[in-house]
Amino acid sequence: MFIELSEALACPACGPPQELVVVVDRLDGRRVLDGFLGCPICEARFPIRSGAVDLAHPDAPLHRPGEAAPGPYPELDIEQTAVMIAALFDARDGGGYLLLDEALGSAAPGVARLAKGCEVIALAGPGSGHNTSEDTHVDWPDPLAPGTNRVAGASDAFPVQSGRLRALALENPTEARLRDAIRAIRPEGRLVVLRPTAETRELLQELPVQPLADEAAAFLGVVATRG
């Protein structure tokens, strides 16, 4: 885990804006290999093992993905999916945090290579903080791959502070998750929704996001500046 990422994460039990404090047991450069994140309010501890963070909390509501098939596009391999996501993110100049939801996490190393200087957060389901997720067929990326951060959780709410993400990509989101995605993205940051349903498109028209592209394969929008 990139050590400065601790400043952008939020306690999944208390919710934003409650920050977490990182305690390091083993460090490699600016990446935490082992240790934990602690909440000074609820005193919960979230382990970091082999560079992967497990933010699953027993009191947090479970996120239940929709029925659409998870994972990268079946027509594309992982690298092609990473190229597509990186192009939609348009993060070639580097800097900032990019987040991929549970269905897209396997593309994180490829996105990180293309978006040099950015830190990519790959979400995983509960119980998948170390090797692979037990509740999905997606192969999660190596948390030690340059520029990648594997963060396991269990909630509809993204475990990040408001307005901290440069871009976020998700697939088949619930309404609650889509609204929380916009909260987590900084003003003028990018929202990518892959395979948006008719219901999702209708909801996006009501939310503070300006569409840049809206096709069958993907919706791309910019989050409005908060007044």
Side-chain angles (χ1 to χ4, degrees):
M1 184 196 83
F2 182 54
I3 191 168
E4 294 175 18
L5 178 60
S6 62
E7 300 173 359
L9 296 175
C11 176
C14 301
Q18 181 54 49
E19 298 179 352
L20 295 169
V21 177
V22 62
V23 176
V24 178
D25 291 333
R26 190 162 60 106
L27 190 68
D28 182 7
R30 299 175 71 187
R31 310 201 83 83
V32 181
L33 302 183
D34 292 294
F36 66 88
L37 293 169
C39 177
I41 300 301
C42 70
E43 300 184 348
R45 291 188 176 189
F46 306 97
I48 304 170
R49 302 187 184 96
S50 300
V53 186
D54 191 349
L55 288 183
H57 191 280
D59 296 330
L62 287 177
H63 167 61
R64 302 188 183 281
E67 297 299 323
Y73 278 71
E75 309 85 19
L76 305 176
D77 62 25
I78 291 175
E79 283 301 316
Q80 290 171 323
T81 301
V83 169
M84 178 183 67
I85 294 173
L88 293 171
F89 279 170
D90 191 25
R92 293 165 293 180
D93 58 336
Y97 297 111
L98 314 174
L99 187 146
L100 308 179
D101 78 351
E102 295 89 343
L104 304 169
S106 55
V111 173
R113 285 195 299 270
L114 293 166
K116 295 183 184 300
C118 294
E119 289 288 328
V120 180
I121 304 167
L123 288 190
S128 57
H130 183 60
N131 288 318
T132 57
S133 173
E134 299 174 356
D135 58 347
T136 174
H137 72 258
V138 176
D139 293 325
W140 294 101
D142 182 351
L144 302 183
T148 63
N149 304 269
R150 189 192 309 156
V151 177
S155 175
D156 251 336
F158 292 102
V160 296
Q161 302 290 356
S162 299
R164 293 304 299 268
L165 299 178
R166 173 173 180 162
L168 184 153
L170 66 171
E171 183 176 359
N172 194 36
T174 63
E175 178 177 345
R177 220 170 204 217
L178 189 56
R179 291 183 181 276
D180 196 61
I182 292 174
R183 172 202 63 80
I185 300 170
R186 71 191 190 191
E188 299 186 2
R190 293 196 166 203
L191 171 68
V192 174
V193 182
L194 301 185
R195 299 191 186 100
T197 64
E199 292 80 6
T200 298
R201 284 193 172 89
E202 184 176 345
L203 177 60
L204 284 164
Q205 294 177 5
E206 304 172 3
L207 296 176
V209 55
Q210 178 66 39
L212 295 181
D214 188 359
E215 301 178 357
F219 170 92
L220 169 63
V222 173
V223 173
T225 301
R226 295 169 177 87

